[in-house]
Amino acid sequence: MATLREIAELASVSVATASRVLNGSAEKHPVSQDVRASVRAAADTLGYTPSATAQALKQQRSKIIGVIASDILDPYFAEMTRGIEIEAAKFGYVTILANANRDPEQERTKFRVLREHQVSGIVFCGSDIEGSPGTAQLAREVNLAVRAGTRVVALAPRGFDSTKIVIDNAATAYELTQYMLSLGHRKIAFIGGIPGLSAAEQRIVGYRDAMFEAQAPAQVLGLTGMSQESGKRAAEELTASTQLPDAIVCTNDEVAVGVLAHLWTAGYKIPEDVSVAGIGGTRGGAVFGLTTMTLPLVELGGLAARYIATAGGSSDVPAPPSFELHIGSTSAPRGQSD
Amino acid sequence: MATLREIAELASVSVATASRVLNGSAEKHPVSQDVRASVRAAADTLGYTPSATAQALKQQRSKIIGVIASDILDPYFAEMTRGIEIEAAKFGYVTILANANRDPEQERTKFRVLREHQVSGIVFCGSDIEGSPGTAQLAREVNLAVRAGTRVVALAPRGFDSTKIVIDNAATAYELTQYMLSLGHRKIAFIGGIPGLSAAEQRIVGYRDAMFEAQAPAQVLGLTGMSQESGKRAAEELTASTQLPDAIVCTNDEVAVGVLAHLWTAGYKIPEDVSVAGIGGTRGGAVFGLTTMTLPLVELGGLAARYIATAGGSSDVPAPPSFELHIGSTSAPRGQSD
DNA sequence: TTGTAGGCGTTATCAG
DNA sequence: CTGATAACGCCTACAA
């Protein structure tokens, strides 16, 4: 790896000058055209690659954004991650990805490792599990770090004092449920979630509120996860019971896809037999024509990245972009559903 | 951020000593118990976090593994990425994730950026697109880097001289096709791929070989991508034609899911009307009971990570783990299919 | 317009 | 057993 000094020697200039032309300060600091050219040439022949490590050490801040995701296999987080990465790249930043499996212990470990790498900021993609033992501990450490100047952004409800760019989860479920009600459905079940998982709990609240207002009976089941697999299991449970509901609102697209998988293979017709919807608007549901609340996941990630990358400048906390209902082919008015 | 010097002062020892107890050399280099204790205490009260940056600068190598993935939204790569991350963490390594969208230009850029960060190694998850303009250029740069000592591992066919841990793609398709033939199917279509994409091309070769040997007519279509969406489109095309084949072999699970999505919504019965299979064994297909060739994606990623992390030690190139047929509920003997 | 020099936090080499 | 001290590669006042 060619170093700055080597290319400085080859170009017969000082490292300072070499540094100036090879890095941003070229415009800020005057350097003659001749020198510029020769330095560039030297850098070229030696195949110079600046050491981000050295730069980071010097400037006390690496151009790295740390990302702590709950489950990179879930499109929900994959899309956020992607949004972060794309926007970060625009600012010359790179992202370190850490999976934490929704385990506070792992989150704590990853958080620490990320800090060791002097990242400019850390993004938490998923929400926390309230009441879980490690959660409080994590919150304490994060709060400490935040007070010490580390930029931390949460893209989902979190119990620590970081910057937050989060969607109104209750509202997503509320509006989605209202839509189902507007189709004439009364018996609407809610499927999916994990006890204590803030985002999931909030969606349940939104669902219950809408059902309560409509004086329709609420039924929540399948609080065994956010995955396709758990959606499938819940659907199996549902079809095993005597009556299918008019409609099913799922906590996310993954669960919805799992529900669809079971229903289709079991011979049900969607939306004739039952309407199904998810939340997220991820690529996962698109191919099935899933009715869903489309959340701006990529944008959300992008906002977090930009916020961190532009730490010095205008760093007002951006407002979360809004979501919207996407009506697919898995939902239909009650008339057609019976 | 507490520095080594600060904690050294607090503990009234030299930074050298502090460094020794706070880092691995504690065992290697003798340090008295008393001193150890006081240093640990000081580090604790000051909340010391080592600077991975400084360590990397000093040791000319950061504990970072760079990952260049084609599409993090594709479970195929997401699983590899996950495997890399998990194994890397075991060695105290962290992974920088870079998406390249199968674009050689982007791959080149990301490759460079990764090198700037002094990563210990770089993993290419996807295969290249032969004939694409940027591919040769990328190969040149990678070869240069490899010769300069950078550890590069490809987990899919690539036209540069890196370490390779790759599955026999032709064999996966060959065996899968043979399985379909063994079920009594004759008219078997192959769906999915991208012209020039090495891995996809090899799978087509395997498929053709099996069909040729069985003297069955080969039909390849839908070379428009590796996504669910493209699988769906191809299936639409297929059902628009007069006759459905006996079975469909897809280039990957994503395409297979897309095919299933269309078939189900169009009212077909699987596997009664047609058998469907994918390649990958990703979580995406699991919930649908998809018949597929299960590839050890997570393990593959793990091997790459381990190979890079243990650069100093026994670094024989690991052999790719083997794949195996997973028979799901989307395939059935011909008798039942007609 | 260019050069000199100090130091970012660590580790490693040498002395004590 | 412990402590100075010199780098690692780069940036940035401060001089020239």
Side-chain angles (χ1 to χ4, degrees), chain B residues 2 9 35 88 113 115 132 171 190 240 270 273 284 292 328:
Chain B
E9 274 177 20
V35 176
V113 172
R115 281 174 42 102
S132 169
F190 186 97
I270 313 292
D273 295 336
T292 186

Side-chain angles (χ1 to χ4, degrees), chain B residues 4 19 23 48 50-51 54-55 58:
Chain B
L4 212 43
S19 170
N23 295 38
Y48 171 70
S51 162
Q55 293 177 325
K58 183 65 193 168

Side-chain angles (χ1 to χ4, degrees), chain B residues 30-113:
Chain B
V31 176
S32 77
Q33 291 302 330
D34 304 7
V35 176
R36 264 182 221 226
S38 62
V39 169
R40 289 248 169 69
D44 224 50
T45 66
L46 260 49
Y48 171 70
T49 305
S51 162
T53 304
Q55 293 177 325
L57 180 61
K58 183 65 193 168
Q59 302 167 166
Q60 306 284 57
R61 202 165 73 94
S62 70
K63 298 185 83 169
I64 298 179
I65 292 176
V67 179
I68 295 181
S70 303
D71 177 10
I72 194 59
L73 289 179
D74 184 334
Y76 192 87
F77 300 112
E79 291 196 5
M80 278 185 178
T81 302
R82 198 176 158 67
I84 295 172
E85 205 247 331
I86 291 174
E87 192 68 15
K90 289 186 191 158
F91 293 91
Y93 278 64
V94 116
T95 67
I96 288 187
L97 179 66
N99 239 73
N101 306 311
R102 290 207 176 77
D103 173 5
E105 288 309 322
Q106 287 190 51
E107 290 182 328
R108 217 144 58 84
T109 308
K110 308 287 186 174
F111 185 70
R112 204 169 308 173
V113 172

Side-chain angles (χ1 to χ4, degrees), chain B residues 73-319:
Chain B
L73 289 179
D74 184 334
Y76 192 87
F77 300 112
E79 291 196 5
M80 278 185 178
T81 302
R82 198 176 158 67
I84 295 172
E85 205 247 331
I86 291 174
E87 192 68 15
K90 289 186 191 158
F91 293 91
Y93 278 64
V94 116
T95 67
I96 288 187
L97 179 66
N99 239 73
N101 306 311
R102 290 207 176 77
D103 173 5
E105 288 309 322
Q106 287 190 51
E107 290 182 328
R108 217 144 58 84
T109 308
K110 308 287 186 174
F111 185 70
R112 204 169 308 173
V113 172
L114 254 18
R115 281 174 42 102
E116 288 175 8
H117 282 272
Q118 316 280 113
V119 297
S120 321
I122 296 175
V123 184
F124 282 87
C125 290
S127 76
D128 53 11
I129 297 184
E130 289 176 281
S132 169
T135 300
Q137 181 70 14
L138 172 67
R140 220 164 306 140
E141 287 193 26
V142 171
N143 287 340
L144 234 53
V146 168
R147 267 190 279 282
T150 307
R151 291 218 154 198
V152 179
V153 179
L155 295 182
R158 281 280 179 175
F160 45 65
D161 303 328
S162 73
T163 295
K164 302 217 173 70
I165 311 179
V166 5
I167 297 236
D168 184 344
N169 283 291
T172 60
Y174 180 83
E175 290 185 21
L176 183 54
T177 306
Q178 278 205 322
Y179 163 70
M180 284 297 196
L181 287 163
S182 78
L183 291 179
H185 303 306
R186 292 282 301 168
K187 204 157 164 264
I188 303 173
F190 186 97
I191 291 186
I194 295 175
L197 186 67
S198 310
E201 301 277 19
Q202 292 179 5
R203 287 174 191 173
I204 291 177
V205 167
Y207 158 77
R208 283 194 195 281
D209 283 354
M211 292 299 274
F212 179 79
E213 283 177 18
Q215 301 189 0
Q219 180 193 13
V220 174
L221 70 159
L223 291 180
T224 58
M226 308 288 284
S227 66
Q228 293 185 350
E229 207 46 60
S230 72
K232 184 182 180 186
R233 279 198 304 271
E236 284 167 357
E237 193 182 317
L238 203 59
T239 53
S241 74
T242 44
Q243 273 197 59
L244 218 54
D246 302 331
I248 300 172
V249 171
C250 301
T251 195
N252 68 4
D253 290 351
E254 290 294 285
V255 168
V257 168
V259 168
L260 289 177
H262 171 64
L263 259 25
W264 271 324
T265 55
Y268 291 93
K269 287 260 175 275
I270 313 292
E272 291 80 1
D273 295 336
V274 55
S275 286
V276 176
I279 294 177
T282 60
R283 205 196 262 189
V287 80
F288 299 106
L290 180 68
T291 289
T292 186
M293 291 301 303
T294 299
L295 310 187
L297 302 171
V298 173
E299 291 84 341
L300 225 44
L303 286 175
R306 178 192 301 267
Y307 176 74
I308 290 173
T310 62
S314 64
S315 308
D316 303 303
V317 177

